[in-house]
Amino acid sequence: MTLVTISVITVGAYLYFNFKSRSSLPVIVPKDVRMFMHFQTRKMRDESGVKQPIYMDSLASLVANSVLFHHLIDPSEAGISLYSDLVYFYSKEHSHCLALSLNSEQRFSRLLDTLKMNEIVGKQMVTPSFNYAKFKDLPLYIAYKYKAMILVLPTIESKEINLSASEIESQMAKIFSDHSDGFIKNRSIQSLYDSDCQWIAWNGKDNPVGLCFNKSKSSGFEGFDLEAKAIENKSALIFAGMRP
């Protein structure tokens, strides 16, 4: 009976924190980024009251039929969390970065090995802090560690101009540095999380803003050091401006 009770409490605690705790994905964002966006996928699904959009099954089918995943029998084989949050930031080094959560580094590593055999990416490079690979004939890199994967698209690179290995590794090292003073520590950003915003954005000049979806209605907020304030129009304008 004692073992059963301990097991129930342990599983219950795991499920509670897995589904209720705040996403840790933004922790990888360095403090000196130029722009930032965070879409909390599971939080929005569980709390927004928004029904699944029409054609969502068509979108899922489109992704599943991609050449990147056509050899997988089950989506979980990719090692990418099915309801991963999505974090975007524009780095100090002028690189577009897009992060997703992993539930298995081993499976994701196998996925990259398969993509290498299909000549989609190059050989995995191993560093003390992260592993990464470069897409063939594209200025695009993919790195992973700490249950996170990130796509890095340097704007200063092209088919004719390549960053050196030390340059791209230096950028990624900042992301996977396990820093304790990253962008997420910003108090005005934290005020938006405290207001239960599922979407959060900062355009690099104005205060950060957020959108909270509840019972199929949205509320806009602007983040400040002490607390977020409800400001509908500004939030919508900044999200629209960052859409590209």
Side-chain angles (χ1 to χ4, degrees), residues 124-159:
Q124 282 195 62
M125 308 302 292
V126 179
T127 77
S129 302
F130 58 90
N131 298 352
Y132 76 99
K134 185 181 186 299
F135 279 77
K136 291 287 186 73
D137 302 320
L138 285 173
L140 181 64
Y141 300 82
I142 187 164
Y144 67 97
K145 203 69 173 180
Y146 303 140
K147 296 292 184 179
M149 62 141 285
I150 186 164
L151 289 163
V152 180
L153 179 69
T155 59
I156 61 175
E157 187 171 354
S158 66
K159 289 185 177 181

Side-chain angles (χ1 to χ4, degrees), residues 29-36 89-92 183 202 204:
V29 181
K31 65 178 179 180
D32 55 1
V33 295
R34 299 173 184 269
M35 286 189 289
F36 169 85
F89 58 95
Y90 188 47
S91 73
K92 182 182 178 182
F183 181 78
W202 177 63

Side-chain angles (χ1 to χ4, degrees), residues 49-230:
V50 176
K51 294 182 180 178
Q52 176 172 295
I54 58 173
Y55 305 124
M56 181 62 83
D57 53 346
S58 301
L59 177 61
S61 177
L62 179 67
V63 173
N65 291 325
S66 165
V67 66
L68 297 176
F69 307 116
H70 75 275
H71 60 286
L72 301 181
I73 297 175
D74 187 276
S76 65
E77 292 182 28
I80 301 172
S81 297
L82 186 60
Y83 290 104
S84 170
D85 283 11
L86 187 152
V87 170
Y88 162 81
F89 58 95
Y90 188 47
S91 73
K92 182 182 178 182
E93 295 81 11
H94 301 280
S95 291
H96 295 290
C97 303
L98 186 69
L100 297 171
S101 296
L102 298 181
N103 54 32
S104 173
E105 292 184 25
Q106 291 76 18
R107 290 180 179 179
F108 189 71
S109 179
R110 289 199 295 268
L111 172 65
L112 290 185
D113 290 340
T114 305
L115 297 182
K116 179 183 179 298
M117 287 190 293
N118 293 332
E119 298 188 343
I120 295 173
V121 303
K123 178 183 177 182
Q124 282 195 62
M125 308 302 292
V126 179
T127 77
S129 302
F130 58 90
N131 298 352
Y132 76 99
K134 185 181 186 299
F135 279 77
K136 291 287 186 73
D137 302 320
L138 285 173
L140 181 64
Y141 300 82
I142 187 164
Y144 67 97
K145 203 69 173 180
Y146 303 140
K147 296 292 184 179
M149 62 141 285
I150 186 164
L151 289 163
V152 180
L153 179 69
T155 59
I156 61 175
E157 187 171 354
S158 66
K159 289 185 177 181
E160 294 75 28
I161 304 174
N162 289 314
L163 291 176
S164 66
S166 61
E167 287 176 310
I168 192 64
E169 287 180 11
S170 176
Q171 288 193 35
M172 293 178 180
K174 286 182 59 179
I175 297 170
F176 292 102
S177 66
D178 196 22
H179 38 64
S180 59
D181 61 343
F183 181 78
I184 199 66
K185 291 290 186 178
N186 187 302
R187 263 305 309 161
S188 56
I189 288 288
Q190 287 294 323
S191 70
L192 295 170
Y193 287 111
D194 293 341
S195 297
D196 286 331
C197 293
Q198 293 101 338
W199 294 7
I200 294 172
W202 177 63
N203 62 7
K205 52 184 178 180
D206 297 297
N207 285 351
V209 296
L211 289 175
C212 176
F213 301 90
N214 186 22
K215 297 180 180 179
S216 300
K217 294 182 180 180
S218 66
S219 301
F221 291 86
E222 183 176 2
F224 294 92
D225 286 348
L226 297 179
E227 63 179 356
K229 297 180 180 179

